[in-house]
Amino acid sequence: MGQSTPESFNTKPRGLLLSAYDAGSHRYWREGIVTHLYEFQWTVLTLPARYFSWRIRGNPISFIERYPAELFAEYDFIVATSMVDLATLLGIVPSLAKIPALVYFHENQFEYPQSDGQSSALEPQMVNLYTALAADRLLFNSDFNRTSFFAGCDGLMAKLPDFATKNLSKQLEQKSSVIPVPIADHLFDLPVTSSFKNKPLKLLWNHRWEYDKGPDRLLCFLRTLEKQEIPFEINIVGERFRSVPEEFNQIKHLFSRQLNVYGYLESTEAYWALLARCDVVVSTAIHEFQGVAVMEAVAAGCLPLVPDRLAYRELLAEQYRYTSDLKDSSNDASAAVDRLVTMLSQPDGHGRLRASFKRYGWSQLADLYRTQINQLLN
């Protein structure tokens, strides 16, 4: 996909936006950047979200094969996701090396949990590291993401046999900032149709259908709810890939009576409507660098139920976080249910929480991105 905004080509600063694994929040973020930072002329180059190992290591080859003309055009600045092997791309296309570049970290490979089929995390980590070194500015979607990346860089340097950079994080930190992926402002205007007085309780799980989002923990959570005879309806939506964890099939079989929506919703309007009618959005993630899906649901009026770890600690107050046990999913589930019961028994404060999340809307955060890009141009 290559696209440019049509008007005022001769006066607008020209930006090259690169998304090497264009799924979920990556796609949502870069679409928002183009829409809200309209004073720039954007050329957007993306690669499909598949074949992770090949994509993160081979994306310079793929970009050149797919977009030869666009890569050799003239630009004033570059914005790339951290999945882009920026250092290699700048070496292969020398004209790009002269252009100031900003890299946005949706995640980092030092903190990302390895799947069973992943042989080594070193290659993806080195892509992240070299990309950070090659960029002029670094942006992270949460402080958890930033600090874990810097710690990972220093940890790797400590393991290397010789000529390793000491305190690498200090160098990188000087050119870094934190700006979350913003959420759509219109979510705050959706009429909330949920009511905690009505039963069953309407639960929402709206994450990627992958192992790092804790489907095994979701299954255990639902079993615990049923065991405690808490009436509930469960809505399981989110992006699916070629390989789907087996736990989703078990949930579909075991909780068919409670299952209301199951699968990816193609209609954005239907998704927004579902957020507005649910009571509680649940996260069982073993890893989360920001939590955009939870943030969207809160903006639409849901109460959040999230583990007391990860980026959630900087996003939500303690009253919405349950004690998490990574070694024992049954303990995790019991703590989540206990927290849920406590939340529902307390006075309703989700209106105030919803209002406080307006600070994460595009209308509030777009100027922060604008400032970062203008600093590249000056």
Side-chain angles (χ1 to χ4, degrees):
M1 165 192 160
Q3 72 178 52
S4 300
T5 50
E7 67 275 2
S8 306
F9 279 4
N10 295 326
T11 59
K12 292 184 176 184
R14 298 156 299 180
L16 175 62
L17 200 164
L18 302 169
S19 180
Y21 200 81
D22 200 50
S25 62
H26 293 228
R27 180 175 62 252
Y28 170 79
W29 170 82
R30 57 95 175 157
E31 288 175 347
I33 288 290
V34 172
T35 298
H36 293 275
L37 303 187
Y38 45 81
E39 69 269 34
F40 303 114
Q41 175 192 335
W42 293 101
T43 296
V44 181
L45 308 183
T46 68
L47 295 174
R50 57 176 184 254
Y51 312 126
F52 172 84
S53 296
W54 159 240
R55 190 66 74 233
I56 194 168
R57 197 63 188 95
N59 63 78
I61 293 174
S62 301
F63 275 124
I64 291 173
E65 174 65 22
R66 196 172 188 185
Y67 305 107
E70 290 89 343
L71 283 176
F72 287 88
E74 294 185 2
Y75 300 102
D76 297 303
F77 65 94
I78 298 170
V79 174
T81 67
S82 56
M83 283 288 293
V84 176
D85 187 348
L86 184 65
T88 299
L89 188 63
L90 298 184
I92 296 175
V93 187
S95 60
L96 295 180
K98 304 173 185 178
I99 303 171
L102 179 154
V103 171
Y104 192 80
F105 281 78
H106 292 268
E107 67 280 303
N108 76 78
Q109 298 302 319
F110 288 99
E111 188 65 23
Y112 206 89
Q114 282 187 257
S115 63
D116 294 336
Q118 190 176 338
S119 57
S120 172
L122 182 59
E123 285 275 335
Q125 289 170 358
M126 293 305 296
V127 169
N128 273 183
L129 175 53
Y130 287 141
T131 291
L133 289 169
D136 297 279
R137 292 292 301 164
L138 308 176
L139 294 183
F140 294 83
N141 60 353
S142 68
D143 190 60
F144 167 72
N145 190 2
R146 178 168 64 170
T147 57
S148 61
F149 175 68
F150 291 155
C153 289
D154 287 342
L156 177 60
M157 292 298 105
K159 296 177 183 177
L160 300 180
D162 60 8
F163 305 116
T165 302
K166 294 183 178 180
N167 298 319
L168 179 60
S169 63
K170 298 298 182 183
Q171 299 180 24
L172 298 177
E173 187 176 11
Q174 295 176 3
K175 58 180 182 179
S176 74
S177 300
V178 174
I179 307 178
V181 174
I183 51 182
D185 292 291
H186 74 84
L187 290 173
F188 297 101
D189 298 324
L190 290 175
V192 178
T193 59
S194 65
S195 173
F196 298 103
K197 298 177 182 178
N198 298 329
K199 294 183 179 181
L201 185 66
K202 302 180 190 68
L203 301 177
L204 171 71
W205 191 95
N206 58 336
H207 309 275
R208 279 185 291 106
W209 290 28
E210 292 189 294
Y211 75 99
D212 66 298
K213 299 306 179 185
D216 57 329
R217 293 166 186 273
L218 173 61
L219 175 59
C220 196
F221 170 70
L222 296 178
R223 281 175 165 160
T224 304
L225 276 177
E226 190 172 55
K227 192 177 297 183
Q228 295 194 20
E229 299 182 350
I230 298 175
F232 68 91
E233 166 196 296
I234 182 67
N235 299 274
I236 301 177
V237 296
E239 196 167 15
R240 300 173 63 170
F241 298 91
R242 290 180 304 151
S243 178
V244 175
E246 173 58 28
E247 287 85 1
F248 289 106
N249 291 329
Q250 296 181 48
I251 290 171
K252 186 177 182 180
H253 174 70
L254 294 173
F255 299 98
S256 58
R257 290 186 298 104
Q258 295 98 327
L259 203 53
N260 181 53
V261 178
Y262 178 85
Y264 182 73
L265 290 176
E266 295 289 346
S267 167
T268 303
E269 289 73 21
Y271 176 66
W272 301 143
L274 177 64
L275 297 189
R277 69 174 291 274
C278 287
D279 300 313
V280 177
V281 58
V282 179
S283 172
T284 53
I286 59 173
H287 223 277
E288 187 66 80
F289 287 98
Q290 179 180 331
V292 174
V294 169
M295 294 174 70
E296 288 180 334
V298 171
C302 291
L303 280 178
L305 179 66
V306 301
D308 186 19
R309 295 182 290 105
L310 316 172
Y312 290 127
R313 286 182 172 175
E314 60 192 273
L315 185 67
L316 291 161
E318 186 177 0
Q319 69 191 86
Y320 303 112
R321 308 192 312 254
Y322 60 87
T323 303
S324 182
D325 187 342
L326 286 176
K327 295 180 179 179
D328 191 326
S329 58
S330 62
N331 288 343
D332 220 45
S334 295
V337 171
D338 289 345
R339 175 59 66 184
L340 176 63
V341 171
T342 301
M343 281 170 43
L344 298 178
S345 66
Q346 293 174 341
D348 186 3
H350 71 283
R352 290 190 298 275
L353 175 64
R354 187 189 192 194
S356 72
F357 262 53
K358 288 185 177 180
R359 68 185 185 273
Y360 297 118
W362 272 107
S363 60
Q364 300 298 311
L365 296 179
D367 275 347
L368 298 183
Y369 284 101
R370 184 172 285 113
T371 297
Q372 292 289 329
I373 292 175
N374 286 328
Q375 287 177 355
L376 287 181
L377 296 171
N378 295 329

